[in-house]
């Protein structure tokens, strides 16, 4: 399932913008490919990342997988509740944001995919 | 990539497939966690047809196999022996199970990814002996039925009650094309059997096993179960620079006999430099295969296997470390994505085995 109204990165994160801030999470395809998520590593508030940087990691029983920031930004908030219940990303990937960021360069969102373009990426 | 005779069954069951040892194998069906729990609590069935089988036959068969492997192989026709095949430097070529089917006929069961390498080695080392070596891997399929309920289920599936068979023994059932080898062995730390036979017979037994409600399990759960039961995997706990002594497999290395690599293993026994230890993480993170392990700021080894398991409180790992960092209680650090996470050396009994006899002790 691909939710409309969000922007997507080819690395399977979603972005929901609100002015110059945005929420970042993972797509349903991402949680499905990972399988049961048992661990999340979150960044600290205040950290800055460039577009495409690894800002954290998700781990299933079998494997670790980096989380990539779809656009450059500074971390304003992290969803700490996921540390104790990372499986919520499996249950409700679009309802669970991972970080809230301040966009360093809002024009970067133009490089992301809409839900239709992402559908072509989320097939493997 | 090669496929086992059960490939179509896995796809029909909706398994997530993965490449392993040159085979396209099921990684998981319902998920690693439910499959792991099924084997610990009831029963699971695994397709292990990717494993390789060689037959050594001829008057020198027993002499030949004793020359090749670290453990003692006797004429006992009921016993299954775990052994290692080492090179002249004592390095592990593979670990294997040995079945003596007749005084002049021995079956070796080897890892899928090592079939070609092992076969070349065996042929080369035995070239001067009066034996014939053949690779029958493509003609033999295998399933493993494991878990506390496995033995009673197997009784109905093969019309023979295996509960009187001691762990690490086997027997032949049936004749001709329907012949199977019923082996009281496994790679999970639970009671159960492994069954060898022709592709047709094993496919039929697979179907009968699933019809009994046994949970199909993939290689994902096979790895978490064997790891939790402290059973080594070639390429992780053994192989490369880790020899059988360092891996804690001394019980399978018999220095009272001659075999290839014995001298090197004798010096390793006399002055060990490395050891595979258990680790319990005391910070957040999951230690994965290959992650560096540090002691007092210095790299002393690496994680061989690590997981966060549904049956354990903390993330746990096996790690190959320098001997001075191997004492139980020692505080080490695991480098996880360049973050140092504290970990304490512990024993390797992550799981209390439920087999009647321990197959590998630490």
């Amino acid at each position: 399932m691909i939710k409309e109204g969000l922007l997507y990165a080819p690395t399977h994160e979603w972005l929901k913008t609100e002015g110059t801030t945005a929420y970042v999470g993972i797509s349903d395809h991402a949680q499905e490919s990972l399988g049961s998520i048992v661990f999340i590593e979150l960044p600290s508030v205040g950290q800055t990342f460039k577009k495409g940087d690894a800002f954290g990691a998700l781990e299933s029983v079998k494997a670790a997988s980096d989380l990539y920031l779809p656009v450059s930004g500074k971390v304003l908030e992290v969803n700490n509740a996921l540390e104790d219940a990372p499986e919520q990303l499996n249950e409700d990937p679009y309802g669970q944001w991972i970080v809230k960021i301040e966009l360093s360069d809002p024009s970067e969102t133009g490089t992301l995919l809409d839900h239709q373009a992402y559908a072509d990426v989320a097939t493997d | 990539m090669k496929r086992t005779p059960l490939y179509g069954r896995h796809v029909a069951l909706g398994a997530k497939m993965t490449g392993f040892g040159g085979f396209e194998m099921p990684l998981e069906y319902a998920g690693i966690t439910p499959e792991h729990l099924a084997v610990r609590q009831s029963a699971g069935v695994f397709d292990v047809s990717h494993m390789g089988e060689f037959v050594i036959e001829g008057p020198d068969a027993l002499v030949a196999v004793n020359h090749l492997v670290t453990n003692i192989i006797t004429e006992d026709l009921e016993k299954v022996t775990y052994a290692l095949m080492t090179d002249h430097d004592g390095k592990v070529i593979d670990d294997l199970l040995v079945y003596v089917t007749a005084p002049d006929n021995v079956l070796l069961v080897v890892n899928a990814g090592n079939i070609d390498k092992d076969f070349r080695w065996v042929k080369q080392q035995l070239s001067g002996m009066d034996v014939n070596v053949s690779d029958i891997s493509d003609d033999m399929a295998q399933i493993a039925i494991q878990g506390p309920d496995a033995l009673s289920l197997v009784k109905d599936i093969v019309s023979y009650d295996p509960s009187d068979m001691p762990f690490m023994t086997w027997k032949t059932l049936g004749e001709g094309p329907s012949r199977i080898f019923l082996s009281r062995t496994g790679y999970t730390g639970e009671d159960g059997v492994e069954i060898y036979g022709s592709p047709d017979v094993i496919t039929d037994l697979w179907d009968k096993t699933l019809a009994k409600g046994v949970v199909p399990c993939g290689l994902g759960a096979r790895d978490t179960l064997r790891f939790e039961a402290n059973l080594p995997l070639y390429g992780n706990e053994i192989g490369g620079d880790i020899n059988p002594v360092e891996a804690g497999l001394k019980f399978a290395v018999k220095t009272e006999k001659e075999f290839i690599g014995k001298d090197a293993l004798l010096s390793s026994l006399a002055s060990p430099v490395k050891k595979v230890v258990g680790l319990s993480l005391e910070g957040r993170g999951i230690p994965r295969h290959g992650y560096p392990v540090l002691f007092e700021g210095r790299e002393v080894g690496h994680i061989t296997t690590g997981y966060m398991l549904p049956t354990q409180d903390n993330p746990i790992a096996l790690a190959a470390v320098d001997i001075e960092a191997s004492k139980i209680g020692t505080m080490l650090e695991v480098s996880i994505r360049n973050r140092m996470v504290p970990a304490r050396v512990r024993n390797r009994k992550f799981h209390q085995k439920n087999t009647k006899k321990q197959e590998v002790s630490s």
Side-chain angles (χ1 to χ4, degrees), chain B residues 77-95:
Chain B
L77 302 182
E78 292 179 353
K79 191 175 169 189
V80 186
T81 308
Y82 174 80
L84 298 117
M85 196 154 67
T86 46
D87 68 11
H88 296 281
D89 298 324
K91 290 189 173 174
V92 178
I93 294 170
D94 207 353
D95 63 343

Side-chain angles (χ1 to χ4, degrees), chain B residues 159-354:
Chain B
S159 311
Y160 180 85
D161 184 358
S163 54
D164 292 336
M165 295 169 66
F167 195 65
M168 297 302 279
T169 66
W170 70 287
K171 61 168 52 232
T172 304
L173 298 178
E175 281 173 29
S178 66
R179 184 184 69 159
I180 56 169
F181 294 159
L182 181 65
S183 180
R184 275 278 285 109
T185 47
Y187 198 41
T188 61
E190 297 298 330
D191 242 336
V193 299
E194 294 173 306
I195 308 174
Y196 302 79
S198 72
D200 287 348
V201 171
I202 292 299
T203 302
D204 181 49
L205 291 178
W206 169 270
D207 291 343
K208 285 180 173 154
T209 307
L210 287 196
K212 290 264 171 204
V214 178
V215 175
C217 299
L219 291 187
R222 183 168 159 85
D223 197 54
T224 56
L225 289 158
R226 71 90 199 158
F227 159 74
E228 192 178 36
N230 185 30
L231 299 168
L233 172 65
Y234 177 86
N236 287 33
E237 283 71 37
I238 46 173
D241 285 335
I242 312 172
N243 76 34
V245 172
E246 295 163 340
L249 301 171
K250 269 186 272 192
F251 75 96
V253 178
K254 300 287 163 55
T255 54
E256 61 266 41
K257 63 162 240 186
E258 297 304 318
F259 59 88
I260 299 166
K262 179 182 164 182
D263 289 346
L265 293 182
L266 278 174
S267 58
S268 181
L269 277 165
S271 48
V273 293
K274 252 187 299 194
K275 193 176 174 186
V276 175
V277 297
L279 292 183
S280 181
L281 240 66
E282 300 195 350
R284 280 179 46 80
I286 303 179
R288 302 283 183 186
H289 176 74
Y291 286 5
V293 175
L294 292 87
F295 176 51
E296 295 174 345
R298 188 164 50 81
E299 192 166 327
V300 290
H302 68 275
I303 300 294
T304 59
T305 307
Y307 280 111
M308 181 126 97
L309 295 179
T311 41
Q312 301 281 333
D313 295 331
N314 293 325
I316 50 173
L318 292 168
V321 298
D322 293 346
I323 204 83
E324 70 265 21
S326 67
K327 239 178 113 177
I328 285 181
T330 308
M331 283 308 297
L332 305 177
E333 287 176 314
V334 182
S335 174
I336 300 179
R337 291 179 288 274
N338 295 319
R339 205 162 47 82
M340 295 303 149
V341 180
R344 189 182 296 276
V345 177
R346 52 158 290 170
N347 67 35
R348 308 195 314 194
K349 285 196 175 64
F350 303 128
H351 169 72
Q352 196 57 47
K353 286 194 193 69
N354 297 313

Side-chain angles (χ1 to χ4, degrees), chain B residues 1 4 28 36 50 78 95-96 99 144 189 237 247 253 297 356:
Chain B
M1 253 190 299
T4 75
E28 58 182 358
H36 183 103
H50 59 309
E78 292 179 353
D95 63 343
L96 60 165
Y99 297 79
E237 283 71 37
V253 178
K356 281 178 188 159

